[in-house]
Amino acid sequence: MSYEDHFRRVYAANFESMLAYALRRVEQPDDAADVVAETFLVAWRRAPEMPPDDEARLWLYGVARRVLANHYRAGQRRGRLGERLRLRLRVATGGDPGSEVPERLAVRAALARLGDLDREVLMLTFWEGLEPREAAAVLGVSAAAVRTRLSRARSRMRDLVGDDLGPPGHVLDVMALHTTEEDR
């Protein structure tokens, strides 16, 4: 009998029990399906080493157990990575992002009042961290043109926003309504 025939017979006889085994050990049915698929992939790759039919089920349980161990370890790694990324995001944003809302609104309003190329030059150099020569390559203009536009755009932004945005708080023209004495 060929390895392929042996595998087909073992698969048909043990699929249900392997699926039930995996379903009882993972939280999501999709994860159970992945465990079973990986178990039978290992069985296919190791078909010459697979024991005879009557011992194959126990061998498959051993393979599934190791596949589940890998599944759990991968989940733990993903969890630790997610926590590290969340921590980095908190550090990168400087804590409470709500305190930056007024500044962001003021900067975005000022950017909207700039010309397209000046706005893009500022955004590429400050937000994306590109050097003027790199921004020039992105925009298809000379580095000298980028440096000139960058200087003018910075000056215009200072005029529009000022050097100090003031303490965090409400932006009156965006977030609050003016009331008169009669309204109170």
Side-chain angles (χ1 to χ4, degrees), residues 11-88:
Y11 179 88
N14 295 287
F15 177 82
E16 299 277 331
S17 59
M18 290 298 110
L19 183 58
Y21 175 85
L23 282 168
R24 286 188 288 271
R25 286 162 176 78
V26 297
E27 292 180 21
Q28 300 295 323
D30 288 345
D31 291 340
D34 290 344
V35 167
V36 172
E38 183 68 23
T39 299
F40 281 109
L41 177 62
V42 170
W44 174 256
R45 287 180 179 158
R46 295 180 59 195
E49 302 166 34
M50 194 183 319
D53 292 342
D54 54 340
E55 298 171 22
R57 188 168 128 242
L58 299 178
W59 183 81
L60 284 172
Y61 277 126
V63 171
R65 185 172 169 271
R66 287 185 288 283
V67 169
L68 276 166
N70 288 339
H71 171 78
Y72 291 137
R73 280 193 297 273
Q76 290 171 340
R77 280 192 304 271
R78 278 191 302 273
R80 287 191 305 266
L81 175 61
E83 186 56 38
R84 283 196 310 265
L85 288 173
R86 283 187 288 282
L87 178 61
R88 281 189 179 175

Side-chain angles (χ1 to χ4, degrees), residues 43-162:
W44 174 256
R45 287 180 179 158
R46 295 180 59 195
E49 302 166 34
M50 194 183 319
D53 292 342
D54 54 340
E55 298 171 22
R57 188 168 128 242
L58 299 178
W59 183 81
L60 284 172
Y61 277 126
V63 171
R65 185 172 169 271
R66 287 185 288 283
V67 169
L68 276 166
N70 288 339
H71 171 78
Y72 291 137
R73 280 193 297 273
Q76 290 171 340
R77 280 192 304 271
R78 278 191 302 273
R80 287 191 305 266
L81 175 61
E83 186 56 38
R84 283 196 310 265
L85 288 173
R86 283 187 288 282
L87 178 61
R88 281 189 179 175
L89 283 173
R90 277 195 299 274
V91 169
T93 60
D96 180 16
S99 65
E100 299 175 5
V101 169
E103 289 89 350
R104 287 184 186 183
L105 291 172
V107 168
R108 289 202 182 267
L111 281 170
R113 294 176 65 190
L114 295 176
D116 290 342
L117 193 54
D118 288 346
R119 179 176 44 253
E120 191 63 18
V121 164
L122 275 176
M123 292 169 75
L124 286 172
T125 55
F126 287 101
W127 287 356
E128 309 308 327
L130 298 183
E131 295 292 323
R133 64 179 166 71
E134 296 169 323
V138 170
L139 298 171
V141 298
S142 70
V146 167
R147 283 190 292 275
T148 302
R149 287 193 172 274
L150 184 57
S151 176
R152 278 191 244 153
R154 284 179 182 158
S155 176
R156 184 118 190 267
M157 280 295 284
R158 272 192 298 275
D159 292 344
L160 293 170
V161 176

